[in-house]
Amino acid sequence: MRLPRITAPQATIRAWLGSHGVSPAMDSSDSFSAAWRPCLLAREGFGNSSSDDSQWRPSQRGLYQSFSFPSSSASEQGFWASSGGLFRSSSRYFSTERPKPRIFGSMPEFVKIVEVGPRDGLQNEKKIVPTHIKVELIRKLCASGLQVVEATSFVSPKWVPQLSDAKEVLHAIKALQGSKFPVLTPNVKGFQAALDAGARDVAVFAAASESFSKANINCTISESLERYKQVCDLAKQHGISVRGYISCVVGCPIEGPVPPHKVGYVAGELYRMGCSEISLGDTIGVGTPGTLVPMLEAVMSVVPVENLAVHMHDTYGQALSNILVALQMGVSTVDSSVSGLGGCPYAKGASGNVATEDVIYLLNGLGVSTNVDLSLVLAAGEFISQHLGRQSGSKTAVALGKSSRCEHSKI
C-alpha cells in the first residue's frame, strides 16, 4: 500500500536527523535543499500532520522517509556511519533500532546464524587448505560474534581428504570462547574420534532421498538412522548435543523432486532419537518459496519450529527468498557459509551455500537481530577468498568492495 504524502515540521525533522549524525544542507528559506529533499513520511507513530512540533517525535516504530542522495557527500557518509550501515535505497527506516514493517510482523526478533564455512564450505575444495588457515578463519568468524561455527568433520580422510586434519583443528581452537564448534560425525567411530579430540557438539547427516543417501554415505535411509541412533545414545551419556542434517529436502540430483512427507519422516526420526536441532538442506538449490512451504509444513507437523534450521544453497538464486519465507513461518536458525563457500561433492551442479554476509545484510534490513558484526564477517570472507585465489561468492562483499581480486591462490 502506498503511504500518504504528508509533511512534518522541518525543525523537528532537521533536529531528529541531526541526532542521527546527518546534517542536511538548508537554503535561505529554511527548507530542505535538493540534496536532502524528503519525498515521503509515514505516519507510523508520529501523531498527525499538525504544525505543532510536539506532535512529531521519533517512536519505537521508527520513521519511514525517502530521499534523493548525492553520490558521495560527507552528509551521506556521516549517515552511513551513524545508521549502522543501512544501505542506499529510495526508502528506508531511519531508526537505530531497525523496526520491522508490519508486513514482516511475524519475523523472529533474533536469528541464530550457524556458520558452516570451515566445514561444509571447505570440504569440496580441491587444493588442501593448510590447517593454520582454517584455524585463523575460525578465529575471525568467532570474533564477529557468530555463536556457532561448524569446525570440521570426523569422516574418513579417504572420502574427504580436505578435512583430514580435524583433530589438529579442534585442538587449536579449544581455547576460543563464546562460540560452539560442532563437528560432523558419520557413525560411532567418528563420534568416538571427535570425543577424544575434545568435541562438545556433534552433528549427523541423513538424506530424504534413498538414492542420494546411498551415493553420499553408502547406506539406505533406514540404515543411516540406525547408525545415528547409536551416536545419539552415546552423546546423551557424555552430555553432548547432537544436530541433525537432512539433505535433499526439496530436490535430489538423482531422483528429482522429493515429496515433503519423506522429509517429515526423516526429521521426525532424528528428533525422536535426540537431535536437538534439525537442519533442512536444499542441497542442490532447486527450491523456491512454492516448494519450500509444503516441505516446512510437513516437517513442522512432527518437529517444533524452534528446533528447526534451514540450510539453503544458492544454485538458482533462490536462497534468500527461501530464507525469508522460512523466517515468516517461524524458523529462527539459518545456516550459511562465509563468502558463499561450499557445494556438495556428490551433488552435481550444487553451488555454494548462501553467503553469511548476504544473510546478515538481509536480516539487518529486516530489523532482525543477529549479534554479528557484518564488517568482521566481510573481513573473514576476504581473508579466505584471498587464500583460495578467487572472488568472494557473496554479493554483499562484491558490492561493498570487500571481495578478493587475487588471481593466484596463496595455498
Side-chain angles (χ1 to χ4, degrees), residues 20-67:
H20 285 69
V22 181
S23 301
M26 308 295 285
D27 62 22
S28 58
S29 63
D30 200 42
S31 63
F32 280 90
S33 69
W36 294 100
R37 184 180 301 114
C39 304
L40 182 66
L41 283 169
R43 210 185 297 210
E44 289 273 1
F46 272 74
N48 55 43
S49 57
S50 165
S51 60
D52 180 6
D53 280 9
S54 66
Q55 296 293 322
W56 294 89
R57 56 188 181 276
S59 70
Q60 291 295 320
R61 296 192 64 80
L63 167 65
Y64 266 126
Q65 193 155 12
S66 178
F67 288 106

Coordinates of all heavy atoms in Angstrom, one line a residue, residues 20-67:
H20 N 21.0 11.8 14.5 CA 21.5 10.6 13.9 C 22.7 10.8 13.0 O 23.0 10.0 12.2 CB 20.3 9.9 13.1 CG 19.3 9.3 14.0 ND1 18.4 10.0 14.8 CD2 19.0 8.0 14.3 CE1 17.7 9.2 15.5 NE2 18.0 7.9 15.2
G21 N 23.3 11.9 13.2 CA 24.6 12.1 12.5 C 24.4 12.7 11.1 O 25.4 12.7 10.3
V22 N 23.2 13.2 10.7 CA 23.0 13.8 9.4 C 22.8 15.3 9.5 O 22.1 15.8 10.3 CB 21.8 13.1 8.8 CG1 21.6 13.7 7.4 CG2 21.9 11.6 8.7
S23 N 23.5 16.0 8.7 CA 23.4 17.5 8.7 C 23.0 17.9 7.3 O 23.9 18.4 6.5 CB 24.8 18.1 9.1 OG 25.2 17.7 10.4
P24 N 21.8 17.8 6.9 CA 21.4 18.2 5.6 C 21.5 19.7 5.3 O 21.3 20.5 6.3 CB 19.9 17.8 5.5 CG 19.4 17.8 7.0 CD 20.7 17.3 7.7
A25 N 21.9 20.1 4.1 CA 22.0 21.5 3.8 C 20.7 22.2 3.8 O 19.7 21.6 3.3 CB 22.7 21.6 2.4
M26 N 20.6 23.4 4.3 CA 19.3 24.1 4.3 C 19.5 25.4 3.5 O 20.5 26.1 3.6 CB 18.9 24.5 5.7 CG 18.9 23.3 6.7 SD 17.7 22.1 6.2 CE 16.2 22.9 6.8
D27 N 18.5 25.8 2.7 CA 18.7 27.0 1.9 C 18.1 28.2 2.7 O 17.7 28.1 3.9 CB 18.0 26.9 0.6 CG 16.5 26.7 0.7 OD1 15.9 27.0 1.7 OD2 15.9 26.2 -0.3
S28 N 18.1 29.4 2.1 CA 17.7 30.6 2.9 C 16.3 30.6 3.4 O 16.0 31.2 4.3 CB 17.9 31.8 2.0 OG 17.1 31.7 0.8
S29 N 15.4 29.8 2.7 CA 14.0 29.7 3.2 C 13.8 28.6 4.2 O 12.7 28.3 4.6 CB 13.1 29.5 2.0 OG 13.4 28.2 1.4
D30 N 14.9 28.0 4.7 CA 14.9 27.0 5.7 C 14.1 25.8 5.3 O 13.4 25.1 6.1 CB 14.3 27.5 7.0 CG 14.7 26.7 8.2 OD1 15.8 26.3 8.3 OD2 13.8 26.4 9.1
S31 N 14.2 25.5 4.0 CA 13.6 24.2 3.5 C 14.7 23.3 3.1 O 15.9 23.7 2.8 CB 12.7 24.5 2.4 OG 13.4 25.1 1.3
F32 N 14.4 22.0 2.9 CA 15.5 21.1 2.5 C 15.9 21.4 1.1 O 15.1 21.7 0.2 CB 14.9 19.7 2.6 CG 14.9 19.1 3.9 CD1 13.8 19.2 4.7 CD2 16.0 18.4 4.4 CE1 13.8 18.7 6.0 CE2 16.0 17.9 5.7 CZ 14.9 18.0 6.5
S33 N 17.2 21.3 0.9 CA 17.8 21.5 -0.4 C 17.5 20.3 -1.3 O 17.0 19.3 -0.8 CB 19.3 21.7 -0.4 OG 20.0 20.6 0.0
A34 N 17.9 20.3 -2.6 CA 17.6 19.2 -3.4 C 18.4 18.0 -3.0 O 17.9 16.9 -3.2 CB 18.0 19.6 -4.9
A35 N 19.5 18.2 -2.3 CA 20.3 17.1 -1.9 C 19.6 16.2 -0.9 O 19.9 15.0 -0.7 CB 21.7 17.5 -1.4
W36 N 18.8 16.8 0.0 CA 18.1 16.1 1.1 C 16.6 16.4 1.1 O 16.0 16.7 2.1 CB 18.7 16.6 2.4 CG 20.2 16.2 2.6 CD1 21.2 17.0 2.4 CD2 20.7 14.9 2.9 NE1 22.4 16.3 2.6 CE2 22.1 15.0 3.0 CE3 20.1 13.7 3.2 CZ2 22.9 14.0 3.3 CZ3 20.9 12.6 3.5 CH2 22.3 12.8 3.5
R37 N 16.0 16.2 -0.1 CA 14.6 16.6 -0.2 C 13.7 15.4 0.3 O 13.8 14.3 -0.2 CB 14.2 16.8 -1.7 CG 12.8 17.2 -1.8 CD 12.5 17.5 -3.3 NE 13.3 18.5 -3.8 CZ 14.2 18.3 -4.8 NH1 14.4 17.1 -5.2 NH2 14.9 19.3 -5.2
P38 N 13.0 15.6 1.3 CA 12.1 14.5 1.8 C 10.9 14.3 0.8 O 10.3 15.2 0.5 CB 11.6 15.0 3.2 CG 11.7 16.4 3.1 CD 12.8 16.8 2.2
C39 N 10.7 13.1 0.4 CA 9.7 12.8 -0.5 C 8.5 12.2 0.1 O 7.4 12.3 -0.4 CB 10.2 11.8 -1.6 SG 11.6 12.4 -2.5
L40 N 8.7 11.4 1.2 CA 7.6 10.7 1.8 C 7.9 10.5 3.3 O 8.9 10.2 3.7 CB 7.5 9.3 1.1 CG 6.4 8.5 1.6 CD1 5.0 9.1 1.2 CD2 6.5 7.1 0.9
L41 N 6.8 10.7 4.1 CA 6.9 10.4 5.5 C 5.7 9.5 5.9 O 4.6 9.8 5.4 CB 6.8 11.7 6.4 CG 8.0 12.6 6.4 CD1 7.7 13.9 7.1 CD2 9.1 11.9 7.2
A42 N 6.0 8.5 6.6 CA 4.9 7.6 7.0 C 4.4 8.1 8.4 O 5.2 8.4 9.2 CB 5.3 6.2 7.0
R43 N 3.1 8.0 8.6 CA 2.6 8.5 9.8 C 2.6 7.4 10.9 O 1.7 7.3 11.7 CB 1.1 8.9 9.6 CG 0.7 10.1 10.6 CD -0.7 10.4 10.4 NE -1.0 10.9 9.0 CZ -2.0 11.8 8.8 NH1 -2.7 12.3 9.7 NH2 -2.2 12.2 7.5
E44 N 3.6 6.5 10.9 CA 3.8 5.4 11.8 C 4.3 6.0 13.2 O 5.5 6.2 13.3 CB 4.7 4.3 11.3 CG 4.1 3.5 10.2 CD 3.3 2.4 10.7 OE1 3.2 2.2 11.9 OE2 2.8 1.6 9.8
G45 N 3.4 6.2 14.1 CA 3.9 6.6 15.4 C 4.3 8.0 15.5 O 5.0 8.4 16.5
F46 N 3.9 8.8 14.6 CA 4.3 10.2 14.6 C 3.2 11.2 14.8 O 3.2 12.4 14.5 CB 5.1 10.6 13.3 CG 6.5 10.3 13.4 CD1 7.0 9.0 13.4 CD2 7.5 11.3 13.5 CE1 8.3 8.7 13.4 CE2 8.8 11.0 13.6 CZ 9.2 9.7 13.6
G47 N 2.1 10.7 15.3 CA 0.9 11.6 15.6 C 0.3 12.0 14.3 O 0.0 11.2 13.4
N48 N -0.1 13.3 14.1 CA -0.8 13.7 12.9 C 0.0 14.8 12.2 O 1.1 15.1 12.5 CB -2.2 14.3 13.3 CG -2.1 15.4 14.4 OD1 -1.2 16.2 14.3 ND2 -3.0 15.3 15.4
S49 N -0.6 15.4 11.2 CA 0.1 16.3 10.3 C 0.0 17.7 10.8 O 0.2 18.7 10.0 CB -0.4 16.2 8.9 OG -1.8 16.5 8.8
S50 N -0.3 17.9 12.1 CA -0.4 19.3 12.6 C 0.9 19.9 12.6 O 2.0 19.3 12.6 CB -0.9 19.1 14.1 OG -0.6 20.4 14.8
S51 N 0.9 21.3 12.6 CA 2.2 22.0 12.5 C 2.8 22.1 13.9 O 3.9 22.6 14.1 CB 1.9 23.5 12.1 OG 1.0 24.1 12.9
D52 N 2.1 21.5 14.9 CA 2.7 21.5 16.3 C 3.9 20.6 16.3 O 3.7 19.4 16.2 CB 1.6 21.1 17.3 CG 2.1 21.1 18.7 OD1 3.3 21.5 18.9 OD2 1.4 20.7 19.6
D53 N 5.1 21.1 16.6 CA 6.3 20.2 16.6 C 6.1 19.1 17.7 O 6.7 18.1 17.5 CB 7.5 21.1 17.0 CG 8.0 21.8 15.7 OD1 7.3 21.8 14.7 OD2 9.1 22.4 15.8
S54 N 5.4 19.4 18.7 CA 5.3 18.4 19.8 C 4.6 17.1 19.3 O 4.7 16.0 19.9 CB 4.6 18.9 21.0 OG 3.2 19.2 20.7
Q55 N 3.9 17.2 18.2 CA 3.1 16.0 17.7 C 4.1 15.1 16.9 O 3.7 14.0 16.6 CB 2.0 16.5 16.8 CG 0.9 17.3 17.4 CD 0.1 16.4 18.4 OE1 -0.1 15.3 18.2 NE2 -0.2 17.0 19.6
W56 N 5.3 15.6 16.6 CA 6.2 14.8 15.7 C 7.4 14.5 16.5 O 8.2 15.4 16.8 CB 6.5 15.6 14.5 CG 5.3 15.8 13.6 CD1 4.4 16.8 13.7 CD2 4.9 14.9 12.6 NE1 3.4 16.6 12.8 CE2 3.7 15.5 12.1 CE3 5.4 13.7 12.1 CZ2 3.0 14.9 11.0 CZ3 4.7 13.1 11.1 CH2 3.5 13.7 10.5
R57 N 7.6 13.3 16.8 CA 8.8 12.8 17.5 C 9.0 11.4 17.2 O 8.1 10.6 17.0 CB 8.6 13.0 19.0 CG 7.4 12.3 19.6 CD 7.2 12.7 21.1 NE 6.0 12.0 21.6 CZ 4.8 12.4 21.5 NH1 4.5 13.5 20.9 NH2 3.8 11.7 22.1
P58 N 10.3 10.9 17.2 CA 10.6 9.5 16.9 C 9.9 8.6 17.9 O 9.8 8.9 19.1 CB 12.1 9.5 17.0 CG 12.5 10.9 16.7 CD 11.5 11.7 17.3
S59 N 9.5 7.5 17.4 CA 8.8 6.5 18.3 C 9.5 5.2 18.1 O 10.5 5.0 17.4 CB 7.4 6.3 17.9 OG 7.3 5.6 16.6
Q60 N 9.1 4.2 18.9 CA 9.7 2.8 18.8 C 9.5 2.2 17.4 O 10.3 1.4 17.0 CB 9.0 1.9 19.8 CG 9.3 2.3 21.3 CD 10.8 2.1 21.6 OE1 11.4 1.1 21.1 NE2 11.4 3.0 22.3
R61 N 8.5 2.7 16.7 CA 8.3 2.1 15.4 C 9.1 2.7 14.3 O 9.2 2.3 13.2 CB 6.8 2.2 15.0 CG 5.9 1.5 15.9 CD 4.5 1.4 15.3 NE 4.5 0.7 14.0 CZ 4.5 -0.6 13.9 NH1 4.5 -1.4 15.0 NH2 4.5 -1.2 12.8
G62 N 9.7 3.9 14.6 CA 10.7 4.5 13.6 C 10.0 5.4 12.6 O 8.8 5.7 12.7
L63 N 10.7 5.9 11.7 CA 10.2 6.8 10.7 C 10.6 6.4 9.3 O 11.7 6.1 9.0 CB 10.8 8.2 11.0 CG 10.7 9.3 9.9 CD1 9.2 9.6 9.7 CD2 11.5 10.5 10.3
Y64 N 9.5 6.2 8.5 CA 9.8 5.9 7.1 C 10.1 7.3 6.4 O 9.4 8.3 6.6 CB 8.5 5.4 6.4 CG 8.4 4.0 6.3 CD1 7.2 3.3 6.8 CD2 9.4 3.2 5.7 CE1 7.1 2.0 6.7 CE2 9.2 1.8 5.7 CZ 8.1 1.2 6.1 OH 7.9 -0.1 6.1
Q65 N 11.1 7.3 5.5 CA 11.4 8.5 4.8 C 12.2 8.2 3.5 O 12.9 7.2 3.5 CB 12.2 9.5 5.6 CG 12.3 10.9 5.1 CD 12.5 11.9 6.2 OE1 12.8 11.5 7.3 NE2 12.3 13.1 5.8
S66 N 11.9 9.0 2.5 CA 12.6 8.8 1.2 C 13.4 10.0 0.9 O 12.9 11.1 1.1 CB 11.6 8.4 0.1 OG 12.3 8.3 -1.1
F67 N 14.6 9.9 0.3 CA 15.5 11.0 0.0 C 16.1 10.8 -1.4 O 16.2 9.7 -1.9 CB 16.6 11.1 1.0 CG 16.2 11.7 2.3 CD1 16.1 10.8 3.4 CD2 15.8 13.0 2.5 CE1 15.7 11.3 4.6 CE2 15.4 13.5 3.7 CZ 15.4 12.6 4.8

